[in-house]
């Protein structure tokens, strides 16, 4: 559930009662609603015609100012204009201080204790921290008490009613925020595109490096293969030559032997022929 999303529902019973009330009864309703626990938004009640009519009565106009105070003003505004407003009871005082913290948090996220003590007229830090913890439990704001640094770190707050005449300022602030956000998003998109481009270039470089590496490895492998094949052929070729040379030597010896044998057989025949004559 969103922060403060049920606040409008808690105002609803008072809206129903206010439809038929005027004068003192309507003024009494304003005191009741500003004292009621859990009711922190009042714009719908403030816009009702019979409530606005209280401003025309000298007797009850203070109560209309009281409702305006709780709608979009702060405890400091109450202190500055006490004479023009009804006195606050304890419940109203505590609620207005809670709403004042919300208003201060809308201006900056870090709220020093010293500033809160002054703005809320709190006598001690202990009482201030109790007030802030109470606001957190009431779902008015989310944050963290930093006792070491003596400050309240606000994470999120409920939204208060918008004061008349402040709409233009809010619209301008939203426009500035929108333009700043658009600028930041455009910068982020450009950075993402730049990173994507660099990543793609890096991938291409890696692919080319891998391709060159594989080509080099293949070339080295082929050279080693050719070298090994050449050595093998050389070894096989030398062995064949030696065998052929041995065979030739044997044939030559055999031929010489045969020639000597033929010569020795031919010599006796010649001698015998000579003796006959």
């Amino acid at each position: 559930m969103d922060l403060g999303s049920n606040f409008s529902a808690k105002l609803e019973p008072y809206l129903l009662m206010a439809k038929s009330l005027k004068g003192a009864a309507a003024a009494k309703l304003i005191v009741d609603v500003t004292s009621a626990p859990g009711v922190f938004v009042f714009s719908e009640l403030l816009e009702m015609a019979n409530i606005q009519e209280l401003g025309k009565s000298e007797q009850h106009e203070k109560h209309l100012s009281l409702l305006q105070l709780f709608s979009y003003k702060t405890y400091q505004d109450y202190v500055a204009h006490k004479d023009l407003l009804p006195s606050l009871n304890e419940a109203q005082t505590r609620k207005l201080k809670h709403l004042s913290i919300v208003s201060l948090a809308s201006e900056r996220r870090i709220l020093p204790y010293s500033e809160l003590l002054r703005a809320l007229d709190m006598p001690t830090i202990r009482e201030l921290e109790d007030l802030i913890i109470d606001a957190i439990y009431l779902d008015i704001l989310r944050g963290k008490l930093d006792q070491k640094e003596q400050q309240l770190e606000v994470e999120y707050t409920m939204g208060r009613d918008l004061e008349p005449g402040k709409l233009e300022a809010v619209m301008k602030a939203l426009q500035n925020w929108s333009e700043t956000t658009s600028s930041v998003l455009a910068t982020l998109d450009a950075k993402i595109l730049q990173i994507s481009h660099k990543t793609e270039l890096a991938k291409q470089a890696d692919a080319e490096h891998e391709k060159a590496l594989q080509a080099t490895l293949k070339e080295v492998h082929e050279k080693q293969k050719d070298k090994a094949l050449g050595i093998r052929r050389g070894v096989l070729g030398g062995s064949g030559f030696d065998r052929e040379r041995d065979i030739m030597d044997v044939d030559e010896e055999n031929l010489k032997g045969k020639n000597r044998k033929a010569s020795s057989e031919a010599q006796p025949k010649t001698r015998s022929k000579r003796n006959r004559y």
Side-chain angles (χ1 to χ4, degrees):
M1 183 179 292
D2 292 336
L3 193 65
S5 60
N6 62 338
F7 291 157
S8 295
K10 291 186 176 182
L11 178 66
E12 190 66 29
Y14 297 94
L15 295 176
L16 295 174
M17 289 186 288
K19 289 181 179 180
S20 58
L21 300 180
K22 292 185 179 181
K28 175 65 167 59
L29 179 70
I30 290 175
V31 174
D32 291 341
V33 74
T34 54
S35 303
V39 182
F40 294 99
V41 291
F42 309 93
S43 61
E44 290 181 78
L45 179 63
L46 184 60
E47 291 170 358
M48 296 180 72
N50 55 328
I51 298 298
Q52 286 293 320
E53 285 181 2
L54 295 175
K56 300 176 182 178
S57 168
E58 197 174 315
Q59 183 181 359
H60 303 303
E61 63 179 349
K62 286 186 177 181
H63 288 83
L64 178 62
S65 298
L66 179 66
L67 187 58
Q68 293 170 338
L69 176 72
F70 276 83
S71 294
Y72 41 73
K73 294 185 181 293
T74 67
Y75 184 77
Q76 286 183 313
D77 292 316
Y78 169 73
V79 172
H81 302 91
K82 263 186 180 181
D83 296 338
L84 303 176
L85 295 163
S87 298
L88 301 182
N89 58 38
E90 185 177 349
Q92 288 173 318
T93 300
R94 195 165 186 83
K95 179 184 289 190
L96 185 58
K97 289 182 178 182
H98 285 152
L99 292 171
S100 299
I101 296 175
V102 173
S103 294
L104 290 170
S106 67
E107 298 173 1
R108 51 179 172 168
R109 193 177 69 86
I110 304 297
L111 297 175
Y113 281 1
S114 58
E115 180 178 334
L116 291 171
L117 288 169
R118 183 179 64 256
L120 304 176
D121 193 22
M122 302 298 294
T124 66
I125 291 178
R126 176 61 183 272
E127 291 184 54
L128 173 63
E129 290 180 336
D130 288 343
L131 181 73
I132 294 171
I133 292 171
D134 189 28
I136 293 173
Y137 277 116
L138 289 170
D139 210 24
I140 296 173
L141 62 87
R142 292 174 188 160
K144 182 176 69 174
L145 294 173
D146 188 340
Q147 294 180 325
K148 182 180 179 180
E149 298 296 332
Q150 296 284 286
Q151 62 188 20
L152 168 63
E153 298 178 4
V154 181
E155 297 175 3
Y156 193 74
T157 70
M158 60 163 280
R160 293 196 67 185
D161 297 322
L162 188 62
E163 184 176 359
K166 294 293 183 68
L167 180 60
E168 293 77 10
V170 172
M171 293 297 294
K172 184 176 181 180
L174 289 174
Q175 181 64 31
N176 291 337
W177 175 82
S178 177
E179 291 174 358
T180 301
T181 302
S182 298
S183 177
V184 170
L185 290 175
T187 302
L188 289 175
D189 288 340
K191 288 291 184 182
I192 291 172
L193 185 62
Q194 183 180 6
I195 292 171
S196 298
H197 181 63
K198 288 183 178 180
T199 302
E200 186 62 29
L201 291 177
K203 286 182 179 179
Q204 292 178 3
D206 289 342
E208 291 175 2
H209 175 74
E210 182 65 22
K211 184 178 179 181
L213 177 62
Q214 293 300 326
T216 302
L217 291 174
K218 183 177 181 181
E219 183 180 352
V220 171
H221 178 71
E222 292 294 336
K223 288 182 178 180
Q224 290 178 342
K225 184 178 178 182
D226 292 342
K227 184 177 180 181
L229 184 60
I231 293 173
R232 185 179 178 188
R233 287 175 178 173
V235 171
L236 292 175
S239 299
F241 177 76
D242 292 340
R243 286 196 298 273
E244 185 178 352
R245 186 177 63 187
D246 292 341
I247 293 171
M248 290 177 65
D249 290 343
V250 171
D251 290 342
E252 185 176 352
E253 290 295 329
N254 290 337
L255 181 59
K256 288 180 179 180
K258 289 180 180 180
N259 289 338
R260 285 196 298 268
K261 184 176 180 182
S263 175
S264 62
E265 289 178 352
Q267 286 178 359
K269 289 181 180 181
T270 304
R271 289 193 192 99
S272 62
K273 287 181 180 181
R274 288 177 179 175
N275 291 336
R276 291 168 99 178
Y277 292 107

